[in-house]
PDB file of all heavy atoms in Angstrom:
ATOM      1  N   GLY A   1      85.407 -37.801 -49.344  1.00 81.00           N
ATOM      2  CA  GLY A   1      85.895 -39.084 -49.864  1.00 81.00           C
ATOM      3  C   GLY A   1      86.707 -39.811 -48.702  1.00 81.00           C
ATOM      4  O   GLY A   1      86.315 -39.779 -47.528  1.00 81.00           O
ATOM      5  N   GLU A   2      87.795 -40.435 -49.083  1.00 84.00           N
ATOM      6  CA  GLU A   2      88.618 -41.182 -48.069  1.00 84.00           C
ATOM      7  C   GLU A   2      89.408 -40.246 -47.238  1.00 84.00           C
ATOM      8  O   GLU A   2      90.162 -39.424 -47.723  1.00 84.00           O
ATOM      9  CB  GLU A   2      89.542 -42.135 -48.814  1.00 84.00           C
ATOM     10  CG  GLU A   2      88.855 -43.302 -49.527  1.00 84.00           C
ATOM     11  CD  GLU A   2      88.162 -44.266 -48.516  1.00 84.00           C
ATOM     12  OE1 GLU A   2      88.721 -44.389 -47.432  1.00 84.00           O
ATOM     13  OE2 GLU A   2      87.151 -44.830 -48.934  1.00 84.00           O
ATOM     14  N   ILE A   3      89.213 -40.243 -45.904  1.00 87.00           N
ATOM     15  CA  ILE A   3      89.999 -39.437 -44.990  1.00 87.00           C
ATOM     16  C   ILE A   3      90.478 -40.326 -43.894  1.00 87.00           C
ATOM     17  O   ILE A   3      89.942 -41.419 -43.592  1.00 87.00           O
ATOM     18  CB  ILE A   3      89.160 -38.250 -44.412  1.00 87.00           C
ATOM     19  CG1 ILE A   3      87.886 -38.818 -43.766  1.00 87.00           C
ATOM     20  CG2 ILE A   3      88.784 -37.265 -45.496  1.00 87.00           C
ATOM     21  CD1 ILE A   3      87.053 -37.703 -43.040  1.00 87.00           C
ATOM     22  N   ALA A   4      91.522 -39.870 -43.239  1.00 86.00           N
ATOM     23  CA  ALA A   4      92.136 -40.677 -42.122  1.00 86.00           C
ATOM     24  C   ALA A   4      91.121 -40.871 -40.967  1.00 86.00           C
ATOM     25  O   ALA A   4      90.368 -39.983 -40.673  1.00 86.00           O
ATOM     26  CB  ALA A   4      93.384 -39.993 -41.615  1.00 86.00           C
ATOM     27  N   CYS A   5      91.130 -42.028 -40.400  1.00 85.00           N
ATOM     28  CA  CYS A   5      90.241 -42.336 -39.329  1.00 85.00           C
ATOM     29  C   CYS A   5      90.959 -43.218 -38.290  1.00 85.00           C
ATOM     30  O   CYS A   5      91.954 -43.801 -38.575  1.00 85.00           O
ATOM     31  CB  CYS A   5      88.958 -42.983 -39.766  1.00 85.00           C
ATOM     32  SG  CYS A   5      89.158 -44.640 -40.365  1.00 85.00           S
ATOM     33  N   PHE A   6      90.374 -43.209 -37.063  1.00 86.00           N
ATOM     34  CA  PHE A   6      90.869 -44.036 -36.016  1.00 86.00           C
ATOM     35  C   PHE A   6      89.738 -45.021 -35.653  1.00 86.00           C
ATOM     36  O   PHE A   6      88.618 -44.561 -35.374  1.00 86.00           O
ATOM     37  CB  PHE A   6      91.315 -43.249 -34.804  1.00 86.00           C
ATOM     38  CG  PHE A   6      91.682 -44.081 -33.602  1.00 86.00           C
ATOM     39  CD1 PHE A   6      92.890 -44.739 -33.571  1.00 86.00           C
ATOM     40  CD2 PHE A   6      90.818 -44.226 -32.537  1.00 86.00           C
ATOM     41  CE1 PHE A   6      93.250 -45.528 -32.471  1.00 86.00           C
ATOM     42  CE2 PHE A   6      91.171 -44.949 -31.410  1.00 86.00           C
ATOM     43  CZ  PHE A   6      92.367 -45.657 -31.421  1.00 86.00           C
ATOM     44  N   GLU A   7      90.055 -46.283 -35.617  1.00 84.00           N
ATOM     45  CA  GLU A   7      88.989 -47.308 -35.375  1.00 84.00           C
ATOM     46  C   GLU A   7      89.183 -48.078 -34.068  1.00 84.00           C
ATOM     47  O   GLU A   7      90.341 -48.456 -33.744  1.00 84.00           O
ATOM     48  CB  GLU A   7      88.958 -48.274 -36.565  1.00 84.00           C
ATOM     49  CG  GLU A   7      87.928 -49.344 -36.460  1.00 84.00           C
ATOM     50  CD  GLU A   7      87.860 -50.212 -37.719  1.00 84.00           C
ATOM     51  OE1 GLU A   7      87.570 -49.706 -38.814  1.00 84.00           O
ATOM     52  OE2 GLU A   7      88.101 -51.467 -37.607  1.00 84.00           O
ATOM     53  N   THR A   8      88.082 -48.275 -33.363  1.00 81.00           N
ATOM     54  CA  THR A   8      88.138 -49.136 -32.176  1.00 81.00           C
ATOM     55  C   THR A   8      87.076 -50.237 -32.408  1.00 81.00           C
ATOM     56  O   THR A   8      86.107 -50.066 -33.108  1.00 81.00           O
ATOM     57  CB  THR A   8      87.823 -48.330 -30.950  1.00 81.00           C
ATOM     58  OG1 THR A   8      86.477 -47.814 -31.047  1.00 81.00           O
ATOM     59  CG2 THR A   8      88.795 -47.205 -30.734  1.00 81.00           C
ATOM     60  N   ARG A   9      87.333 -51.354 -31.690  1.00 82.00           N
ATOM     61  CA  ARG A   9      86.444 -52.467 -31.825  1.00 82.00           C
ATOM     62  C   ARG A   9      86.281 -53.109 -30.414  1.00 82.00           C
ATOM     63  O   ARG A   9      87.226 -53.396 -29.742  1.00 82.00           O
ATOM     64  CB  ARG A   9      86.962 -53.567 -32.751  1.00 82.00           C
ATOM     65  CG  ARG A   9      86.058 -54.792 -32.931  1.00 82.00           C
ATOM     66  CD  ARG A   9      86.707 -55.770 -33.869  1.00 82.00           C
ATOM     67  NE  ARG A   9      86.896 -55.241 -35.189  1.00 82.00           N
ATOM     68  CZ  ARG A   9      85.973 -55.354 -36.202  1.00 82.00           C
ATOM     69  NH1 ARG A   9      84.932 -56.084 -35.968  1.00 82.00           N
ATOM     70  NH2 ARG A   9      86.207 -54.838 -37.397  1.00 82.00           N
ATOM     71  N   ASP A  10      85.018 -53.205 -29.974  1.00 75.00           N
ATOM     72  CA  ASP A  10      84.666 -53.786 -28.678  1.00 75.00           C
ATOM     73  C   ASP A  10      83.710 -54.959 -28.846  1.00 75.00           C
ATOM     74  O   ASP A  10      82.763 -54.847 -29.604  1.00 75.00           O
ATOM     75  CB  ASP A  10      84.061 -52.735 -27.756  1.00 75.00           C
ATOM     76  CG  ASP A  10      84.976 -51.604 -27.420  1.00 75.00           C
ATOM     77  OD1 ASP A  10      86.134 -51.916 -27.018  1.00 75.00           O
ATOM     78  OD2 ASP A  10      84.584 -50.403 -27.539  1.00 75.00           O
ATOM     79  N   THR A  11      84.039 -56.034 -28.131  1.00 77.00           N
ATOM     80  CA  THR A  11      83.147 -57.206 -28.172  1.00 77.00           C
ATOM     81  C   THR A  11      82.835 -57.657 -26.760  1.00 77.00           C
ATOM     82  O   THR A  11      83.737 -57.861 -25.969  1.00 77.00           O
ATOM     83  CB  THR A  11      83.845 -58.377 -28.955  1.00 77.00           C
ATOM     84  OG1 THR A  11      84.125 -57.956 -30.276  1.00 77.00           O
ATOM     85  CG2 THR A  11      82.892 -59.525 -29.013  1.00 77.00           C
ATOM     86  N   ALA A  12      81.541 -57.751 -26.480  1.00 67.00           N
ATOM     87  CA  ALA A  12      81.143 -58.161 -25.116  1.00 67.00           C
ATOM     88  C   ALA A  12      79.673 -58.607 -25.183  1.00 67.00           C
ATOM     89  O   ALA A  12      78.868 -58.001 -25.878  1.00 67.00           O
ATOM     90  CB  ALA A  12      81.328 -57.025 -24.092  1.00 67.00           C
ATOM     91  N   HIS A  13      79.345 -59.653 -24.400  1.00 64.00           N
ATOM     92  CA  HIS A  13      77.975 -60.122 -24.244  1.00 64.00           C
ATOM     93  C   HIS A  13      77.311 -60.363 -25.616  1.00 64.00           C
ATOM     94  O   HIS A  13      76.154 -60.050 -25.831  1.00 64.00           O
ATOM     95  CB  HIS A  13      77.168 -59.113 -23.493  1.00 64.00           C
ATOM     96  CG  HIS A  13      77.775 -58.686 -22.173  1.00 64.00           C
ATOM     97  ND1 HIS A  13      77.955 -59.617 -21.140  1.00 64.00           N
ATOM     98  CD2 HIS A  13      78.304 -57.531 -21.777  1.00 64.00           C
ATOM     99  CE1 HIS A  13      78.542 -58.972 -20.127  1.00 64.00           C
ATOM    100  NE2 HIS A  13      78.768 -57.722 -20.483  1.00 64.00           N
ATOM    101  N   GLY A  14      78.063 -60.954 -26.563  1.00 71.00           N
ATOM    102  CA  GLY A  14      77.517 -61.283 -27.859  1.00 71.00           C
ATOM    103  C   GLY A  14      77.332 -60.093 -28.753  1.00 71.00           C
ATOM    104  O   GLY A  14      76.682 -60.248 -29.832  1.00 71.00           O
ATOM    105  N   ARG A  15      77.829 -58.950 -28.424  1.00 75.00           N
ATOM    106  CA  ARG A  15      77.690 -57.779 -29.218  1.00 75.00           C
ATOM    107  C   ARG A  15      79.022 -57.229 -29.655  1.00 75.00           C
ATOM    108  O   ARG A  15      79.950 -57.189 -28.853  1.00 75.00           O
ATOM    109  CB  ARG A  15      76.927 -56.649 -28.421  1.00 75.00           C
ATOM    110  CG  ARG A  15      76.656 -55.429 -29.224  1.00 75.00           C
ATOM    111  CD  ARG A  15      75.992 -54.363 -28.377  1.00 75.00           C
ATOM    112  NE  ARG A  15      76.847 -53.862 -27.334  1.00 75.00           N
ATOM    113  CZ  ARG A  15      76.445 -53.040 -26.342  1.00 75.00           C
ATOM    114  NH1 ARG A  15      75.168 -52.621 -26.328  1.00 75.00           N
ATOM    115  NH2 ARG A  15      77.290 -52.671 -25.426  1.00 75.00           N
ATOM    116  N   THR A  16      79.151 -56.825 -30.881  1.00 81.00           N
ATOM    117  CA  THR A  16      80.367 -56.250 -31.395  1.00 81.00           C
ATOM    118  C   THR A  16      80.056 -54.768 -31.880  1.00 81.00           C
ATOM    119  O   THR A  16      79.085 -54.580 -32.562  1.00 81.00           O
ATOM    120  CB  THR A  16      80.952 -57.059 -32.573  1.00 81.00           C
ATOM    121  OG1 THR A  16      81.267 -58.331 -32.123  1.00 81.00           O
ATOM    122  CG2 THR A  16      82.213 -56.319 -33.082  1.00 81.00           C
ATOM    123  N   GLU A  17      80.884 -53.847 -31.436  1.00 80.00           N
ATOM    124  CA  GLU A  17      80.723 -52.466 -31.863  1.00 80.00           C
ATOM    125  C   GLU A  17      82.045 -51.935 -32.395  1.00 80.00           C
ATOM    126  O   GLU A  17      83.066 -51.960 -31.751  1.00 80.00           O
ATOM    127  CB  GLU A  17      80.258 -51.580 -30.702  1.00 80.00           C
ATOM    128  CG  GLU A  17      80.008 -50.141 -31.073  1.00 80.00           C
ATOM    129  CD  GLU A  17      79.174 -49.396 -30.056  1.00 80.00           C
ATOM    130  OE1 GLU A  17      78.788 -49.968 -29.042  1.00 80.00           O
ATOM    131  OE2 GLU A  17      79.010 -48.167 -30.263  1.00 80.00           O
ATOM    132  N   VAL A  18      81.965 -51.428 -33.650  1.00 83.00           N
ATOM    133  CA  VAL A  18      83.086 -50.774 -34.272  1.00 83.00           C
ATOM    134  C   VAL A  18      82.818 -49.322 -34.411  1.00 83.00           C
ATOM    135  O   VAL A  18      81.718 -48.875 -34.836  1.00 83.00           O
ATOM    136  CB  VAL A  18      83.326 -51.405 -35.664  1.00 83.00           C
ATOM    137  CG1 VAL A  18      84.510 -50.710 -36.380  1.00 83.00           C
ATOM    138  CG2 VAL A  18      83.595 -52.922 -35.575  1.00 83.00           C
ATOM    139  N   ARG A  19      83.757 -48.504 -33.943  1.00 86.00           N
ATOM    140  CA  ARG A  19      83.613 -47.043 -34.062  1.00 86.00           C
ATOM    141  C   ARG A  19      84.780 -46.510 -34.872  1.00 86.00           C
ATOM    142  O   ARG A  19      85.913 -46.866 -34.694  1.00 86.00           O
ATOM    143  CB  ARG A  19      83.617 -46.395 -32.656  1.00 86.00           C
ATOM    144  CG  ARG A  19      82.459 -46.798 -31.758  1.00 86.00           C
ATOM    145  CD  ARG A  19      82.531 -46.036 -30.456  1.00 86.00           C
ATOM    146  NE  ARG A  19      81.615 -46.538 -29.448  1.00 86.00           N
ATOM    147  CZ  ARG A  19      81.912 -47.469 -28.552  1.00 86.00           C
ATOM    148  NH1 ARG A  19      83.131 -47.975 -28.579  1.00 86.00           N
ATOM    149  NH2 ARG A  19      81.016 -47.844 -27.730  1.00 86.00           N
ATOM    150  N   ARG A  20      84.427 -45.569 -35.780  1.00 88.00           N
ATOM    151  CA  ARG A  20      85.464 -44.883 -36.587  1.00 88.00           C
ATOM    152  C   ARG A  20      85.369 -43.393 -36.348  1.00 88.00           C
ATOM    153  O   ARG A  20      84.302 -42.825 -36.580  1.00 88.00           O
ATOM    154  CB  ARG A  20      85.290 -45.244 -38.052  1.00 88.00           C
ATOM    155  CG  ARG A  20      85.448 -46.736 -38.358  1.00 88.00           C
ATOM    156  CD  ARG A  20      85.391 -46.959 -39.884  1.00 88.00           C
ATOM    157  NE  ARG A  20      85.456 -48.367 -40.163  1.00 88.00           N
ATOM    158  CZ  ARG A  20      84.440 -49.150 -40.388  1.00 88.00           C
ATOM    159  NH1 ARG A  20      83.213 -48.645 -40.313  1.00 88.00           N
ATOM    160  NH2 ARG A  20      84.584 -50.451 -40.643  1.00 88.00           N
ATOM    161  N   ALA A  21      86.468 -42.811 -35.973  1.00 89.00           N
ATOM    162  CA  ALA A  21      86.522 -41.379 -35.694  1.00 89.00           C
ATOM    163  C   ALA A  21      87.316 -40.707 -36.778  1.00 89.00           C
ATOM    164  O   ALA A  21      88.414 -41.153 -37.196  1.00 89.00           O
ATOM    165  CB  ALA A  21      87.162 -41.090 -34.339  1.00 89.00           C
ATOM    166  N   SER A  22      86.809 -39.589 -37.310  1.00 91.00           N
ATOM    167  CA  SER A  22      87.499 -38.848 -38.337  1.00 91.00           C
ATOM    168  C   SER A  22      87.296 -37.357 -38.096  1.00 91.00           C
ATOM    169  O   SER A  22      86.318 -36.956 -37.400  1.00 91.00           O
ATOM    170  CB  SER A  22      87.048 -39.254 -39.743  1.00 91.00           C
ATOM    171  OG  SER A  22      85.651 -39.213 -39.841  1.00 91.00           O
ATOM    172  N   ILE A  23      88.133 -36.561 -38.706  1.00 92.00           N
ATOM    173  CA  ILE A  23      88.130 -35.086 -38.475  1.00 92.00           C
ATOM    174  C   ILE A  23      88.241 -34.369 -39.810  1.00 92.00           C
ATOM    175  O   ILE A  23      88.995 -34.729 -40.711  1.00 92.00           O
ATOM    176  CB  ILE A  23      89.324 -34.691 -37.624  1.00 92.00           C
ATOM    177  CG1 ILE A  23      89.241 -35.299 -36.246  1.00 92.00           C
ATOM    178  CG2 ILE A  23      89.484 -33.153 -37.542  1.00 92.00           C
ATOM    179  CD1 ILE A  23      88.349 -34.549 -35.258  1.00 92.00           C
ATOM    180  N   LEU A  24      87.477 -33.269 -39.938  1.00 92.00           N
ATOM    181  CA  LEU A  24      87.708 -32.300 -41.017  1.00 92.00           C
ATOM    182  C   LEU A  24      88.071 -30.978 -40.399  1.00 92.00           C
ATOM    183  O   LEU A  24      87.298 -30.394 -39.672  1.00 92.00           O
ATOM    184  CB  LEU A  24      86.488 -32.180 -41.917  1.00 92.00           C
ATOM    185  CG  LEU A  24      86.243 -33.270 -42.924  1.00 92.00           C
ATOM    186  CD1 LEU A  24      84.946 -32.973 -43.707  1.00 92.00           C
ATOM    187  CD2 LEU A  24      87.380 -33.445 -43.872  1.00 92.00           C
ATOM    188  N   PRO A  25      89.268 -30.423 -40.662  1.00 91.00           N
ATOM    189  CA  PRO A  25      89.669 -29.145 -40.128  1.00 91.00           C
ATOM    190  C   PRO A  25      88.927 -28.045 -40.818  1.00 91.00           C
ATOM    191  O   PRO A  25      88.372 -28.189 -41.924  1.00 91.00           O
ATOM    192  CB  PRO A  25      91.150 -29.111 -40.361  1.00 91.00           C
ATOM    193  CG  PRO A  25      91.415 -29.978 -41.569  1.00 91.00           C
ATOM    194  CD  PRO A  25      90.361 -31.078 -41.476  1.00 91.00           C
ATOM    195  N   LEU A  26      88.922 -26.874 -40.202  1.00 90.00           N
ATOM    196  CA  LEU A  26      88.165 -25.735 -40.757  1.00 90.00           C
ATOM    197  C   LEU A  26      88.615 -25.418 -42.184  1.00 90.00           C
ATOM    198  O   LEU A  26      87.740 -25.051 -42.978  1.00 90.00           O
ATOM    199  CB  LEU A  26      88.407 -24.485 -39.838  1.00 90.00           C
ATOM    200  CG  LEU A  26      87.563 -23.242 -40.158  1.00 90.00           C
ATOM    201  CD1 LEU A  26      86.113 -23.561 -40.031  1.00 90.00           C
ATOM    202  CD2 LEU A  26      87.967 -22.115 -39.211  1.00 90.00           C
ATOM    203  N   ALA A  27      89.863 -25.568 -42.478  1.00 88.00           N
ATOM    204  CA  ALA A  27      90.366 -25.228 -43.800  1.00 88.00           C
ATOM    205  C   ALA A  27      89.731 -26.049 -44.916  1.00 88.00           C
ATOM    206  O   ALA A  27      89.689 -25.725 -46.077  1.00 88.00           O
ATOM    207  CB  ALA A  27      91.902 -25.378 -43.889  1.00 88.00           C
ATOM    208  N   LYS A  28      89.226 -27.251 -44.536  1.00 89.00           N
ATOM    209  CA  LYS A  28      88.641 -28.129 -45.538  1.00 89.00           C
ATOM    210  C   LYS A  28      87.088 -28.128 -45.518  1.00 89.00           C
ATOM    211  O   LYS A  28      86.436 -28.951 -46.161  1.00 89.00           O
ATOM    212  CB  LYS A  28      89.150 -29.552 -45.328  1.00 89.00           C
ATOM    213  CG  LYS A  28      90.603 -29.692 -45.591  1.00 89.00           C
ATOM    214  CD  LYS A  28      91.010 -31.205 -45.529  1.00 89.00           C
ATOM    215  CE  LYS A  28      92.522 -31.372 -45.836  1.00 89.00           C
ATOM    216  NZ  LYS A  28      92.952 -32.791 -45.807  1.00 89.00           N
ATOM    217  N   LEU A  29      86.524 -27.241 -44.692  1.00 88.00           N
ATOM    218  CA  LEU A  29      85.051 -27.148 -44.545  1.00 88.00           C
ATOM    219  C   LEU A  29      84.588 -26.001 -45.378  1.00 88.00           C
ATOM    220  O   LEU A  29      85.115 -24.914 -45.320  1.00 88.00           O
ATOM    221  CB  LEU A  29      84.675 -27.005 -43.101  1.00 88.00           C
ATOM    222  CG  LEU A  29      84.988 -28.186 -42.187  1.00 88.00           C
ATOM    223  CD1 LEU A  29      84.869 -27.804 -40.705  1.00 88.00           C
ATOM    224  CD2 LEU A  29      84.093 -29.355 -42.527  1.00 88.00           C
ATOM    225  N   LYS A  30      83.470 -26.162 -46.135  1.00 89.00           N
ATOM    226  CA  LYS A  30      82.976 -25.154 -46.981  1.00 89.00           C
ATOM    227  C   LYS A  30      81.488 -24.874 -46.632  1.00 89.00           C
ATOM    228  O   LYS A  30      80.783 -25.736 -46.094  1.00 89.00           O
ATOM    229  CB  LYS A  30      83.009 -25.564 -48.413  1.00 89.00           C
ATOM    230  CG  LYS A  30      84.430 -25.829 -48.936  1.00 89.00           C
ATOM    231  CD  LYS A  30      84.395 -26.364 -50.404  1.00 89.00           C
ATOM    232  CE  LYS A  30      85.806 -26.653 -50.904  1.00 89.00           C
ATOM    233  NZ  LYS A  30      85.783 -27.195 -52.281  1.00 89.00           N
ATOM    234  N   ASP A  31      81.107 -23.596 -46.893  1.00 86.00           N
ATOM    235  CA  ASP A  31      79.713 -23.157 -46.750  1.00 86.00           C
ATOM    236  C   ASP A  31      79.169 -23.365 -45.347  1.00 86.00           C
ATOM    237  O   ASP A  31      78.015 -23.746 -45.126  1.00 86.00           O
ATOM    238  CB  ASP A  31      78.759 -23.900 -47.729  1.00 86.00           C
ATOM    239  CG  ASP A  31      79.221 -23.728 -49.164  1.00 86.00           C
ATOM    240  OD1 ASP A  31      79.636 -22.594 -49.511  1.00 86.00           O
ATOM    241  OD2 ASP A  31      79.159 -24.685 -49.945  1.00 86.00           O
ATOM    242  N   LEU A  32      80.046 -23.084 -44.363  1.00 87.00           N
ATOM    243  CA  LEU A  32      79.639 -23.203 -42.971  1.00 87.00           C
ATOM    244  C   LEU A  32      78.985 -21.905 -42.441  1.00 87.00           C
ATOM    245  O   LEU A  32      79.492 -20.814 -42.740  1.00 87.00           O
ATOM    246  CB  LEU A  32      80.800 -23.513 -42.082  1.00 87.00           C
ATOM    247  CG  LEU A  32      81.462 -24.894 -42.143  1.00 87.00           C
ATOM    248  CD1 LEU A  32      82.610 -24.991 -41.174  1.00 87.00           C
ATOM    249  CD2 LEU A  32      80.449 -25.989 -41.755  1.00 87.00           C
ATOM    250  N   PRO A  33      77.910 -22.012 -41.711  1.00 89.00           N
ATOM    251  CA  PRO A  33      77.464 -20.821 -40.983  1.00 89.00           C
ATOM    252  C   PRO A  33      78.439 -20.447 -39.848  1.00 89.00           C
ATOM    253  O   PRO A  33      79.220 -21.291 -39.417  1.00 89.00           O
ATOM    254  CB  PRO A  33      76.095 -21.283 -40.403  1.00 89.00           C
ATOM    255  CG  PRO A  33      76.220 -22.758 -40.254  1.00 89.00           C
ATOM    256  CD  PRO A  33      77.091 -23.194 -41.412  1.00 89.00           C
ATOM    257  N   VAL A  34      78.375 -19.203 -39.439  1.00 88.00           N
ATOM    258  CA  VAL A  34      79.314 -18.756 -38.407  1.00 88.00           C
ATOM    259  C   VAL A  34      79.004 -19.475 -37.099  1.00 88.00           C
ATOM    260  O   VAL A  34      77.886 -19.527 -36.662  1.00 88.00           O
ATOM    261  CB  VAL A  34      79.270 -17.228 -38.255  1.00 88.00           C
ATOM    262  CG1 VAL A  34      80.091 -16.765 -37.099  1.00 88.00           C
ATOM    263  CG2 VAL A  34      79.673 -16.546 -39.555  1.00 88.00           C
TER     264      VAL A  34
END
């Protein structure tokens, strides 16, 4: 669902790029292979 993220926005040469970074720690991850 909704989790904290960090967003950056770059605009150059007529192009805009938005990036959103987010993290899930091991404690919140389920059914992971080793």
Side-chain angles (χ1 to χ4, degrees):
E2 292 293 328
I3 56 177
C5 68
F6 175 74
E7 182 176 297
T8 61
R9 181 182 296 267
D10 296 311
T11 301
H13 308 294
R15 181 183 67 185
T16 298
E17 182 165 358
V18 178
R19 299 184 189 89
R20 297 186 183 95
S22 52
I23 295 279
L24 282 180
L26 187 60
K28 294 185 178 181
L29 294 168
K30 300 178 181 178
D31 302 322
L32 288 179
V34 175

